[in-house]
Amino acid sequence: MASYRTRLSQDLDRWIAAGLVPAASREAMLAGVEEPRRVDAATALAVVGALLAGAAVIAFVAANWDGLARIVRFGLILAAFAATAGGGAWAAWKQRPVLTNSLLALAALIYAGAIGLSGQIFDIAGHPQAALRGAGLAAFVLALAGRSSGAAIVALALIGLGDMAGGGPGAPRDLWRWEAAAAPAGMALAWFWRSRPLAHAAGLAIVIAWLTLPGERDSWRMLLTAVVFGLLAGLARWRRDEPVARDLLGWLIVGALAAFALAGAEAGELSLVHRGALLLLSAGVVGWGRHDRHDLLTAVGVIGMLGTVSLILFDLGLGLMAAAGVFAVCALTALGVGLALRRSAPP
Amino acid sequence: MRRPLLILVAAGVLAAALIGLVVREDRARTAGTEVLLAMQPLDPRSLLSGHYVIVDIVHPVPGACPLSGRGRDGWIALSPRGRTHEVTGNGATREAAARKGRLAVRGAAYCVSGGGPQEIVQLRLRGVDRFHADQDEAQSIEKALDASRTGPAQVFAIVSVGADGQARLKGLEVNGRRTELSWF
């Protein structure tokens, strides 16, 4: 893909030819744009060499792991953690945010591994859930200290895995999902740090966590969850000029539609009303997505509509011919509405 | 300058927490009451998490099953019999279990048929799961466990029962030779 400078150079030639920009300004304008950094062969070889050296060290340690004294093994894993975290601190001091982010994410992963390996080295039996959640909290600490979205994503993943691991035999029944609180915290960090990857990770986490909370999944609780998702989506839409608002909005709408769909799982006599409402909501999301040019929203709405239609067919116990008829009616309706909208649009 | 310092402080706190956890476990292991518990062979070993031996504690029951309720996680009473300890009862609370034996430890126990007229007690101690060893050691332990299928027990778990009633594995005794978990 051509760099911005190359594209600007081509544009400038066109603009100068059209008389929009004076020719004398061409060089000055191009000089103001930095050339993208190119990785030369020496740098590439250095990176490859460093990676291979790291692999060699890891293989050597793994081959001799059993023969090392416990204190040495423990020291090695602590040293690995200290080296990556120290590297992250150095990168922060040198104001290299990408390197800081990467090293702190790696440090968070190494710490999680260190917890597990310490248990193995010293035969400390523990619950995987406690270890994963502890590692997740540690990753959050690193994320906050270093303003690292990578470490925050690692934290969300570890806490989510901890929720799924369960407490083990004899542990009290888990009444809460840590992810239910961690995911909104992740969303807040994504907002303030303007991190799109973290926004996606937190969005996915909040949908899974809030829809799978332990306890009775009754209709009213799901409806309330849908309303909360909807309110948060409204907030994201209101602040849509923020870089991560669009990403969060997409996931919040996913959560709202999914929660509303689950609310009608045992709707009984009201199931047809629920399906109709879900269909309207999904269609509304499609329209919203097209209006805002938000592809994820459009896709979510379309999937919602397809799912709702399938649900209606399942409820009515219709055969293939009836299903064909229903789909044909829906298709004609969608085409008709689209045509009407096109005709009523201003020229 | 603040952010690099914050990172270093956070990393230091986390490393100290991990070291503290290991030191605390070691101190609790050293300070607890040591008991020897007979082990039985149990397959398999995992290749992914290195070489280890599953600590499966069983012993025959001389008379009726000493347990009330089957497989409930709670407190187990242990009493000395020769140089080892055996299960002599259980209870929902520490005090209830302590009335039935010398020591009360957190865990679960089951009476199961041993294939003959005698029942056996299987003991699951919370905090005692597996013993990691290098390949040679793991294989010699496995050999000793196999030999104890047809003869007297040759492998014993050395367990430390702390003041909190929590069991911690100190090591194994294999054919009279002790292998203890230490810093080295």
Side-chain angles (χ1 to χ4, degrees):
Chain A
M1 193 169 115
S3 68
Y4 171 65
R5 198 170 191 273
T6 307
R7 295 199 313 271
L8 179 62
S9 175
Q10 293 165 353
D11 289 340
L12 281 172
D13 291 338
R14 216 174 48 250
W15 296 336
I16 290 169
L20 297 170
V21 173
S25 303
R26 186 180 189 279
E27 290 311 314
M29 290 172 78
L30 283 174
V33 175
E34 278 184 22
E35 271 286 355
R37 286 185 61 184
R38 292 173 192 274
V39 176
D40 60 9
T43 307
L45 282 171
V47 170
V48 168
L51 288 172
L52 287 173
V57 167
I58 290 169
F60 178 80
V61 169
N64 294 284
W65 188 253
D66 281 346
L68 294 171
R70 288 192 173 88
I71 189 77
V72 173
R73 288 185 236 169
F74 187 55
L76 276 175
I77 57 178
L78 278 181
F81 170 68
T84 40
W90 173 83
W93 179 50
K94 290 291 188 182
Q95 296 185 353
R96 297 172 70 170
V98 173
L99 185 59
T100 306
N101 201 3
S102 308
L103 285 173
L104 288 181
L106 182 60
L109 287 169
I110 290 176
Y111 192 80
I115 291 175
L117 281 172
S118 298
Q120 189 204 68
I121 291 168
F122 296 106
D123 280 289
I124 301 171
H127 292 306
Q129 184 179 61
L132 286 164
R133 284 175 168 175
L137 280 179
F140 252 131
V141 166
L142 284 173
L144 290 172
R147 203 188 157 115
S148 166
S149 57
I153 292 172
V154 169
L156 288 175
L158 288 170
I159 289 174
L161 288 171
D163 284 345
M164 284 195 282
R173 193 168 146 259
D174 205 0
L175 297 176
W176 191 246
R177 293 268 184 273
W178 281 36
E179 194 81 311
M187 288 173 64
L189 288 177
W191 187 275
F192 289 117
W193 293 348
R194 300 186 170 190
S195 167
R196 293 189 65 188
L198 181 54
H200 281 294
L204 175 63
I206 201 171
V207 169
I208 294 173
W210 283 14
L211 294 181
T212 59
L213 282 173
E216 202 60 42
R217 200 172 292 135
D218 61 65
S219 302
W220 289 112
R221 200 186 93 174
M222 281 292 117
L223 212 53
L224 181 63
T225 307
V227 167
V228 173
F229 269 125
L231 288 173
L232 288 173
L235 182 64
R237 176 65 175 35
W238 176 51
R239 299 296 300 272
R240 62 185 178 275
D241 292 334
E242 295 290 335
V244 300
R246 287 170 65 86
D247 301 324
L248 291 175
L249 174 62
W251 287 109
L252 291 168
I253 290 296
V254 167
L257 281 181
F260 189 78
L262 287 171
E266 293 168 13
E269 290 170 354
L270 293 172
S271 57
L272 205 56
V273 173
H274 170 263
R275 309 314 184 223
L278 189 56
L279 200 58
L280 279 174
L281 283 171
S282 301
V285 169
V286 172
W288 184 0
R290 297 311 304 144
H291 178 270
D292 282 4
R293 297 186 189 194
H294 196 310
D295 295 337
L296 176 60
L297 270 189
T298 309
V300 166
V302 168
I303 291 169
M305 288 179 71
L306 288 174
T308 309
V309 169
S310 305
L311 209 51
I312 292 171
L313 293 175
F314 179 78
D315 286 342
L316 298 175
L318 298 178
L320 281 175
M321 279 303 295
V326 170
F327 282 129
V329 168
C330 289
L332 286 172
T333 308
L335 288 169
V337 169
L339 198 59
L341 285 172
R342 174 69 64 86
R343 282 184 177 170
S344 66
Chain B
M1 197 56 199
R2 198 181 64 167
R3 193 155 304 285
L5 270 174
L6 274 175
I7 294 171
L8 288 174
V9 166
V13 167
L14 293 175
L18 194 57
I19 293 169
L21 172 71
V22 171
V23 168
R24 192 195 72 162
E25 284 296 306
D26 181 68
R27 283 193 175 164
R29 190 174 281 151
T30 309
T33 306
E34 185 179 295
V35 298
L36 270 184
L37 299 164
M39 283 170 55
Q40 79 160 2
L42 186 71
D43 302 321
R45 262 178 304 136
S46 163
L47 295 175
L48 289 179
S49 57
H51 296 276
Y52 67 85
V53 176
I54 300 262
V55 179
D56 193 34
I57 301 164
V58 295
H59 64 80
V61 180
C65 176
L67 304 172
S68 55
R70 233 180 105 90
R72 204 177 305 141
D73 196 31
W75 291 87
I76 307 299
L78 297 177
S79 299
R81 186 186 293 277
R83 49 191 293 269
T84 64
H85 276 67
E86 291 184 353
V87 175
T88 51
N90 64 326
T93 63
R94 190 174 189 175
E95 293 71 31
R99 285 195 286 271
K100 300 178 185 176
R102 176 86 65 84
L103 272 177
V105 62
R106 295 196 72 91
Y110 318 79
C111 282
V112 294
S113 166
Q118 216 174 21
E119 279 195 289
I120 57 174
V121 169
Q122 195 165 36
L123 177 61
R124 294 258 185 270
L125 292 175
R126 204 190 285 183
V128 176
D129 179 34
R130 56 189 65 178
F131 180 79
H132 288 89
D134 60 45
Q135 184 174 359
D136 292 339
E137 199 168 15
Q139 284 173 342
S140 83
I141 294 170
E142 194 177 30
K143 207 180 284 183
L145 282 169
D146 281 340
S148 60
R149 282 182 201 271
T150 51
Q154 296 182 22
V155 183
F156 299 87
I158 308 169
V159 171
S160 165
V161 180
D164 55 357
Q166 181 73 29
R168 292 173 178 86
L169 186 65
K170 282 184 77 169
L172 296 186
E173 185 186 283
V174 181
N175 290 326
R177 190 174 70 88
R178 288 170 73 103
T179 304
E180 290 197 24
L181 294 165
S182 64
W183 291 99
F184 303 101

